[in-house]
Protein backbone atom coordinates (compact mmCIF):
# COMPACT_ATOMS: atom_id res chain seq x y z
CA UNK A 1 0.00 0.00 0.00
CA UNK A 2 0.94 3.67 -0.13
CA UNK A 3 2.83 3.53 3.17
CA UNK A 4 4.89 0.46 2.26
CA UNK A 5 8.27 2.15 1.80
CA UNK A 6 10.58 -0.27 3.65
CA UNK A 7 13.51 -0.14 4.25
CA UNK A 8 12.98 3.63 4.30
CA UNK A 9 11.13 5.12 7.24
CA UNK A 10 9.94 8.45 8.51
CA UNK A 11 11.53 9.61 11.79
CA UNK A 12 10.73 12.64 13.93
CA UNK A 13 13.90 14.14 15.42
CA UNK A 14 12.78 17.30 17.28
CA UNK A 15 16.34 18.48 17.90
CA UNK A 16 17.12 18.68 14.19
CA UNK A 17 18.97 21.92 13.48
CA UNK A 18 18.66 24.35 10.57
CA UNK A 19 18.01 22.94 7.09
CA UNK A 20 20.86 21.64 4.98
CA UNK A 21 21.23 22.40 1.31
CA UNK A 22 19.65 19.11 0.17
CA UNK A 23 16.80 19.06 2.71
CA UNK A 24 13.30 19.38 1.26
CA UNK A 25 11.08 22.43 1.75
CA UNK A 26 7.32 22.08 1.46
CA UNK A 27 5.34 25.06 0.15
CA UNK A 28 1.56 24.75 0.25
CA UNK A 29 -1.32 26.74 -1.18
CA UNK A 30 -4.81 25.54 -0.17
CA UNK A 31 -4.75 21.79 -0.93
CA UNK A 32 -1.84 22.08 -3.34
CA UNK A 33 1.87 21.51 -2.93
CA UNK A 34 4.76 22.99 -4.90
CA UNK A 35 6.44 20.11 -6.71
CA UNK A 36 7.52 18.74 -10.06
CA UNK A 37 6.29 15.54 -11.70
CA UNK A 38 8.03 14.41 -14.86
CA UNK A 39 7.61 11.00 -16.52
CA UNK A 40 6.09 9.60 -13.31
CA UNK A 41 8.96 10.82 -11.14
CA UNK A 42 8.52 13.18 -8.21
CA UNK A 43 10.87 16.08 -7.48
CA UNK A 44 10.52 18.37 -4.46
CA UNK A 45 12.27 21.72 -4.00
CA UNK A 46 15.31 21.73 -1.73
CA UNK A 47 16.47 24.42 0.65
CA UNK A 48 19.46 25.11 -1.57
CA UNK A 49 17.24 25.69 -4.61
CA UNK A 50 14.79 27.88 -2.71
CA UNK A 51 17.34 30.11 -0.98
CA UNK A 52 16.52 33.11 -3.23
CA UNK A 53 12.77 32.79 -2.56
CA UNK A 54 13.41 32.42 1.18
CA UNK A 55 15.98 35.24 1.13
CA UNK A 56 18.29 32.97 3.13
CA UNK A 57 15.90 33.18 6.10
CA UNK A 58 15.12 30.04 8.12
CA UNK A 59 12.91 31.53 10.83
CA UNK A 60 9.83 30.80 8.70
CA UNK A 61 10.70 27.12 8.34
CA UNK A 62 9.27 24.39 10.57
CA UNK A 63 10.97 21.00 10.86
CA UNK A 64 8.47 18.21 10.13
CA UNK A 65 10.42 14.92 10.08
CA UNK A 66 13.21 13.12 8.26
CA UNK A 67 13.16 10.43 5.60
CA UNK A 68 16.37 8.51 6.16
CA UNK A 69 18.93 11.33 6.53
CA UNK A 70 17.05 14.07 4.64
CA UNK A 71 14.75 16.40 6.53
CA UNK A 72 11.43 17.91 5.46
CA UNK A 73 10.68 21.50 6.43
CA UNK A 74 7.46 23.45 6.03
CA UNK A 75 7.60 27.04 4.86
CA UNK A 76 5.05 29.15 6.70
CA UNK A 77 5.43 31.71 3.91
CA UNK A 78 4.14 31.04 0.42
CA UNK A 79 6.14 31.44 -2.75
CA UNK A 80 5.31 31.76 -6.43
CA UNK A 81 5.76 28.97 -8.92
CA UNK A 82 9.32 28.95 -10.19
CA UNK A 83 11.48 27.00 -12.62
CA UNK A 84 9.71 23.69 -13.29
CA UNK A 85 7.87 23.62 -9.96
CA UNK A 86 4.08 24.00 -10.01
CA UNK A 87 1.39 23.91 -7.35
CA UNK A 88 -0.38 20.59 -7.77
CA UNK A 89 -3.20 18.87 -5.92
CA UNK A 90 -1.69 16.69 -3.20
CA UNK A 91 -3.50 13.64 -4.62
CA UNK A 92 -1.14 13.79 -7.61
CA UNK A 93 1.64 12.17 -5.56
CA UNK A 94 -0.26 8.91 -5.03
CA UNK A 95 1.12 7.07 -8.05
CA UNK A 96 4.52 8.67 -8.65
CA UNK A 97 8.01 7.48 -7.79
CA UNK A 98 10.10 7.16 -5.77
CA UNK A 99 7.47 5.70 -3.44
CA UNK A 100 9.23 6.79 -0.27
CA UNK A 101 9.39 10.39 -1.39
CA UNK A 102 5.73 10.37 -2.46
CA UNK A 103 4.56 9.01 0.90
CA UNK A 104 6.77 11.46 2.77
CA UNK A 105 5.40 14.34 0.70
CA UNK A 106 1.82 13.37 1.57
CA UNK A 107 2.72 12.99 5.25
CA UNK A 108 4.44 16.38 5.21
CA UNK A 109 1.26 17.87 3.75
CA UNK A 110 -0.74 16.37 6.63
CA UNK A 111 1.55 17.79 9.32
CA UNK A 112 2.04 21.05 7.46
CA UNK A 113 -1.68 21.60 7.12
CA UNK A 114 -2.05 21.09 10.87
CA UNK A 115 0.57 23.75 11.56
CA UNK A 116 -1.15 26.08 9.13
CA UNK A 117 -4.50 25.63 10.87
CA UNK A 118 -3.06 26.06 14.35
CA UNK A 119 -1.41 29.46 14.42
CA UNK A 120 -3.79 30.98 16.96
CA UNK A 121 -5.24 29.70 20.21
CA UNK A 122 -8.90 28.69 20.00
CA UNK A 123 -9.39 29.56 23.67
CA UNK A 124 -7.88 33.05 23.99
CA UNK A 125 -6.74 33.94 20.43
CA UNK A 126 -3.08 34.14 21.46
CA UNK A 127 -0.35 33.35 18.95
CA UNK A 128 0.64 29.68 19.35
CA UNK A 129 4.30 28.81 19.74
CA UNK A 130 6.04 25.57 18.80
CA UNK A 131 7.12 23.48 21.79
CA UNK A 132 10.67 22.25 21.96
CA UNK A 133 11.22 18.51 22.11
CA UNK A 134 7.86 17.42 20.68
CA UNK A 135 5.50 18.06 17.80
CA UNK A 136 3.05 20.37 19.51
CA UNK A 137 2.11 24.01 19.81
CA UNK A 138 1.30 25.90 23.00
CA UNK A 139 -0.33 29.19 23.84
CA UNK A 140 1.99 31.33 25.99
CA UNK A 141 -0.99 33.23 27.39
CA UNK A 142 -3.36 30.51 28.64
CA UNK A 143 -1.14 27.41 28.37
CA UNK A 144 -3.31 25.39 25.98
CA UNK A 145 -1.31 22.68 24.20
CA UNK A 146 -2.39 21.28 20.82
CA UNK A 147 -1.11 18.10 19.16
CA UNK A 148 -1.60 17.03 15.52
CA UNK A 149 -5.08 15.66 14.91
CA UNK A 150 -5.58 12.30 13.21
CA UNK A 151 -9.20 11.44 12.38
CA UNK A 152 -10.17 7.74 12.75
CA UNK A 153 -12.02 6.24 9.78
CA UNK A 154 -13.49 2.73 9.45
CA UNK A 155 -13.72 0.89 6.13
CA UNK A 156 -15.80 -2.28 6.02
CA UNK A 157 -16.08 -5.00 3.43
CA UNK A 158 -19.57 -6.43 3.96
CA UNK A 159 -19.62 -10.08 2.88
CA UNK A 160 -22.43 -12.48 2.11
CA UNK A 161 -20.80 -15.80 1.30
CA UNK A 162 -19.04 -15.39 -2.05
CA UNK A 163 -20.38 -11.86 -2.57
CA UNK A 164 -19.09 -8.52 -1.32
CA UNK A 165 -20.91 -5.19 -1.26
CA UNK A 166 -19.36 -2.50 -3.49
CA UNK A 167 -20.45 1.12 -3.43
CA UNK A 168 -19.98 4.35 -5.35
CA UNK A 169 -19.92 7.77 -3.75
CA UNK A 170 -22.50 10.41 -4.61
CA UNK A 171 -21.27 13.82 -5.73
CA UNK A 172 -17.53 13.13 -5.60
CA UNK A 173 -14.81 13.22 -8.22
CA UNK A 174 -13.86 9.62 -7.45
CA UNK A 175 -16.19 7.50 -9.63
CA UNK A 176 -14.82 3.98 -9.14
CA UNK A 177 -16.12 1.38 -6.74
CA UNK A 178 -15.31 1.55 -3.05
CA UNK A 179 -16.37 -0.03 0.25
CA UNK A 180 -18.54 1.47 2.95
CA UNK A 181 -16.51 3.92 5.04
CA UNK A 182 -16.99 6.73 7.51
CA UNK A 183 -15.50 8.77 10.32
CA UNK A 184 -15.76 7.54 13.89
CA UNK A 185 -17.93 9.74 16.09
CA UNK A 186 -16.85 10.97 19.54
CA UNK A 187 -17.67 8.39 22.20
CA UNK A 188 -18.14 5.66 19.59
CA UNK A 189 -16.33 2.32 19.38
CA UNK A 190 -14.94 1.11 16.06
CA UNK A 191 -17.49 -1.71 16.07
CA UNK A 192 -20.24 0.81 16.75
CA UNK A 193 -19.08 3.02 13.90
CA UNK A 194 -19.13 0.05 11.53
CA UNK A 195 -22.67 -0.94 12.49
CA UNK A 196 -23.88 2.67 12.23
CA UNK A 197 -22.23 3.41 8.86
CA UNK A 198 -23.53 0.21 7.27
CA UNK A 199 -27.05 0.84 8.56
CA UNK A 200 -27.04 4.51 7.55
CA UNK A 201 -25.66 4.02 4.06
CA UNK A 202 -27.27 0.76 2.92
CA UNK A 203 -29.78 -0.23 5.63
CA UNK A 204 -28.09 -3.55 6.44
CA UNK A 205 -27.02 -5.27 9.66
CA UNK A 206 -23.66 -6.98 10.08
CA UNK A 207 -22.05 -9.42 12.49
CA UNK A 208 -18.71 -11.16 13.07
CA UNK A 209 -16.56 -8.05 12.54
CA UNK A 210 -12.87 -8.88 11.88
CA UNK A 211 -9.97 -6.46 11.75
CA UNK A 212 -7.90 -6.54 8.54
CA UNK A 213 -5.23 -3.79 8.54
CA UNK A 214 -4.76 -0.01 8.74
CA UNK A 215 -3.39 2.80 6.60
CA UNK A 216 -2.35 6.38 7.37
CA UNK A 217 -4.17 8.57 4.86
CA UNK A 218 -2.66 12.02 4.83
CA UNK A 219 -5.06 13.35 2.19
CA UNK A 220 -7.88 13.53 4.75
CA UNK A 221 -5.62 13.69 7.83
CA UNK A 222 -6.92 10.26 8.81
CA UNK A 223 -5.97 6.80 9.96
CA UNK A 224 -8.00 4.27 7.99
CA UNK A 225 -8.90 1.00 9.72
CA UNK A 226 -10.14 -1.84 7.54
CA UNK A 227 -12.55 -4.56 8.68
CA UNK A 228 -14.55 -7.36 7.14
CA UNK A 229 -18.00 -8.21 8.44
CA UNK A 230 -20.69 -10.76 7.56
CA UNK A 231 -24.19 -9.80 6.51
CA UNK A 232 -26.80 -10.51 9.14
CA UNK A 233 -30.38 -10.80 7.93
CA UNK A 234 -31.84 -9.75 4.59
CA UNK A 235 -29.52 -8.44 1.88
CA UNK A 236 -31.92 -5.95 0.32
CA UNK A 237 -30.13 -2.59 0.12
CA UNK A 238 -31.80 0.65 1.27
CA UNK A 239 -29.51 3.21 -0.34
CA UNK A 240 -28.76 6.58 1.25
CA UNK A 241 -28.68 8.63 -1.95
CA UNK A 242 -27.09 11.60 -0.18
CA UNK A 243 -23.98 9.52 0.50
CA UNK A 244 -23.97 6.89 -2.26
CA UNK A 245 -24.97 6.69 -5.91
CA UNK A 246 -24.82 2.89 -6.03
CA UNK A 247 -24.45 -0.19 -3.84
CA UNK A 248 -24.32 -3.63 -5.44
CA UNK A 249 -23.51 -7.18 -4.40
CA UNK A 250 -20.69 -8.52 -6.57
CA UNK A 251 -19.54 -12.13 -6.71
CA UNK A 252 -15.90 -12.85 -5.94
CA UNK A 253 -15.38 -14.12 -9.50
CA UNK A 254 -16.98 -11.01 -11.05
CA UNK A 255 -15.19 -8.21 -9.24
CA UNK A 256 -14.20 -5.26 -11.48
CA UNK A 257 -10.68 -4.88 -12.80
CA UNK A 258 -8.28 -4.42 -9.93
CA UNK A 259 -6.83 -1.01 -9.24
CA UNK A 260 -3.44 -0.64 -7.61
CA UNK A 261 -3.35 -2.05 -4.09
CA UNK A 262 -2.00 1.33 -3.00
CA UNK A 263 -5.20 2.20 -1.12
CA UNK A 264 -6.62 0.17 1.76
CA UNK A 265 -9.98 -0.08 -0.04
CA UNK A 266 -8.51 -1.81 -3.07
CA UNK A 267 -6.14 -3.88 -1.00
CA UNK A 268 -9.22 -5.25 0.78
CA UNK A 269 -11.08 -5.89 -2.48
CA UNK A 270 -8.03 -7.66 -3.92
CA UNK A 271 -7.66 -9.74 -0.75
CA UNK A 272 -11.27 -10.86 -1.05
CA UNK A 273 -10.86 -11.66 -4.74
CA UNK A 274 -7.76 -13.77 -4.10
CA UNK A 275 -9.23 -15.51 -1.03
CA UNK A 276 -6.50 -14.07 1.17
CA UNK A 277 -8.99 -13.41 3.95
Amino acid sequence: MFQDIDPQRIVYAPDRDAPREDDYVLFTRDSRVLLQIEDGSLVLPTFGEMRPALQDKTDGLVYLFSLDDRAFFLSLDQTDEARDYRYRNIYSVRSVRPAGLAFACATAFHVGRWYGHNRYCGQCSGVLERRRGERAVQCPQCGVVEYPAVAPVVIVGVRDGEDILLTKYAGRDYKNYALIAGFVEPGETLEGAIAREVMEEVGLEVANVRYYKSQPWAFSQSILMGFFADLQGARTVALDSDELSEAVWVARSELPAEESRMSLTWDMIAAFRKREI
Side-chain angles (χ1 to χ4, degrees), residues 102-135:
F103 179 67
C105 180
T107 304
F109 173 78
H110 179 174
V111 182
R113 196 170 196 184
W114 173 79
Y115 274 115
H117 290 173
N118 287 272
R119 295 193 179 192
Y120 301 96
C121 177
Q123 182 164 285
C124 73
S125 301
V127 178
L128 295 174
E129 297 178 351
R130 298 190 296 278
R131 292 185 61 153
R132 291 189 59 83
E134 62 178 342
R135 186 183 285 126

Side-chain angles (χ1 to χ4, degrees), residues 157-214:
V158 181
R159 302 176 49 170
D160 183 19
E162 291 293 291
D163 297 345
I164 190 169
L165 188 67
L166 299 186
T167 63
K168 287 188 176 182
Y169 297 117
R172 296 196 196 178
D173 293 336
Y174 184 79
K175 302 300 182 183
N176 293 340
Y177 281 110
L179 301 174
I180 291 175
F183 289 93
V184 181
E185 296 288 344
E188 189 174 46
T189 65
L190 301 181
E191 295 84 357
I194 289 168
R196 175 183 55 78
E197 286 290 343
V198 174
M199 177 56 66
E200 287 179 354
E201 295 192 2
V202 292
L204 300 176
E205 295 185 357
V206 292
N208 191 25
V209 174
R210 290 95 64 199
Y211 174 73
Y212 176 63
K213 64 175 66 170
S214 64

Side-chain angles (χ1 to χ4, degrees), residues 209-273:
V209 174
R210 290 95 64 199
Y211 174 73
Y212 176 63
K213 64 175 66 170
S214 64
Q215 180 174 41
W217 199 242
F219 310 105
S220 57
Q221 294 82 58
S222 304
I223 177 70
L224 312 181
M225 294 161 285
F227 298 82
F228 284 94
D230 296 330
L231 175 69
Q232 180 172 268
R235 62 184 262 159
T236 303
V237 170
L239 190 71
D240 178 358
S241 58
D242 290 335
E243 293 286 336
L244 303 176
S245 64
E246 185 178 349
V248 293
W249 291 102
V250 180
R252 193 192 304 266
S253 60
E254 298 176 356
L255 283 168
E258 181 178 322
E259 290 188 1
S260 165
R261 293 185 75 160
M262 180 175 295
S263 71
L264 177 57
T265 292
W266 277 91
D267 188 78
M268 292 173 67
I269 293 172
F272 180 77
R273 179 209 305 276

